[in-house]
């Protein structure tokens, strides 16, 4: 499982912060759907939980897809990546819709970073279309469609993980 992907230090991971608001995320999901609309139709959407649940709901709504399944994978404890754990695979019904290889299925996640999660889901469903909202360079080759690329040393802060807080002025040393 992604034995070739180097381990990144916290410094390499969190060099730059890229905070995303709900409004921005919704717009980026809609932009993603415009692209996916050219590729479909899809039998079902498969969300990679938990981060993929939010974009999957928006994309499925925009594409008019009502069959939604999940693959439940955990690997990060905040910004530290551990071993990937597959907590749940696709259901038998969804696997049948994808003909056993994922053909006609749309896999959605919030982002690819090192690509470890993406490689795992691609191995599970090699003919599925894999879409993410954001992509970092190491994971980008695994994604069929994405909207915004950020550098590898950028950490994306999603709106469901954050809250508004005071920021010191830039001239006082804020990053
Ligand atoms: O390309 P990678 O380096 O594998 O990282 C990308 C994955 O990491 C995050 O999930 P995480 O494992 O943190 O779980 P979560 O979705 O429940 O937050 C994110 O939602 C992607 O699924
Ligand atoms: Mg995830």
């Amino acid at each position: 499982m992604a034995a070739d992907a180097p381990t990144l230090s916290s410094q390499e991971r969190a060099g730059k912060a890229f905070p995303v608001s709900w409004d921005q995320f919704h717009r980026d999901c809609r932009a993603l759907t415009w692209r996916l609309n050219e590729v479909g139709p899809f039998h079902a959407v498969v969300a990679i939980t938990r981060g993929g649940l939010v974009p999957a709901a928006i994309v499925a709504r925009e594409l008019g897809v009502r069959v939604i399944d999940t693959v439940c994978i955990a690997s990060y404890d905040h910004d530290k990546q551990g071993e990937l754990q597959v907590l749940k695979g696709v259901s038998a019904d969804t696997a049948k819709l994808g003909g056993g290889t994922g053909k006609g299925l749309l896999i959605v996640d919030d982002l690819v970073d090192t690509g470890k999660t993406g490689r795992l889901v691609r191995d599970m469903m090699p003919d599925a279309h894999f879409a993410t909202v954001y992509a970092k360079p190491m994971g980008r080759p695994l994604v069929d469609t994405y909207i915004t690329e950020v550098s590898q040393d950028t950490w994306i802060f999603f709106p469901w993980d954050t809250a508004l807080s005071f920021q010191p002025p830039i001239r006082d040393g804020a990053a």
Side-chain angles (χ1 to χ4, degrees):
M1 188 195 329
D4 48 332
T7 306
L8 301 174
S9 68
S10 297
Q11 189 71 29
E12 283 167 323
R13 286 202 168 285
K16 298 170 204 146
F18 183 83
V20 180
S21 68
W22 283 111
D23 183 57
Q24 183 64 47
F25 193 75
H26 197 180
R27 282 168 201 274
D28 288 341
C29 288
R30 282 217 168 107
L32 181 65
T33 317
W34 278 104
R35 293 200 184 154
L36 294 171
N37 200 34
E38 305 291 312
V39 181
F42 299 103
H43 307 307
V45 169
V46 178
I48 308 304
T49 77
R50 294 161 302 178
L53 285 166
V54 184
I58 297 166
V59 166
R61 186 268 179 185
E62 298 297 342
L63 289 177
V65 176
R66 288 180 182 269
V67 180
I68 300 169
D69 200 350
T70 55
V71 168
C72 304
I73 300 180
S75 69
Y76 285 83
D77 180 11
H78 181 44
D79 62 355
K80 308 236 173 359
Q81 189 169 33
E83 277 304 301
L84 262 66
Q85 282 181 274
V86 180
L87 307 170
K88 175 198 162 288
V90 284
S91 69
D93 283 351
T94 306
K96 203 191 287 175
L97 279 177
T101 64
K103 196 165 172 51
L105 303 183
L106 173 63
I107 303 169
V108 176
D109 207 349
D110 49 2
L111 83 150
V112 276
D113 187 320
T114 62
K116 286 186 184 178
T117 306
R119 192 166 291 124
L120 189 64
V121 298
R122 292 229 78 127
D123 287 347
M124 288 175 176
M125 293 167 276
D127 292 336
H129 191 92
F130 182 35
T132 64
V133 188
Y134 305 112
K136 299 187 192 181
M138 279 173 66
R140 195 190 51 212
L142 292 154
V143 186
D144 296 305
T145 308
Y146 67 93
I147 286 299
T148 300
E149 180 172 352
V150 300
S151 62
Q152 198 67 45
D153 64 349
T154 294
W155 190 260
I156 301 170
F157 288 93
F158 289 107
W160 51 88
D161 285 333
T162 52
L164 289 179
S165 67
F166 172 78
Q167 295 292 299
I170 289 170
R171 65 170 292 168
D172 293 346

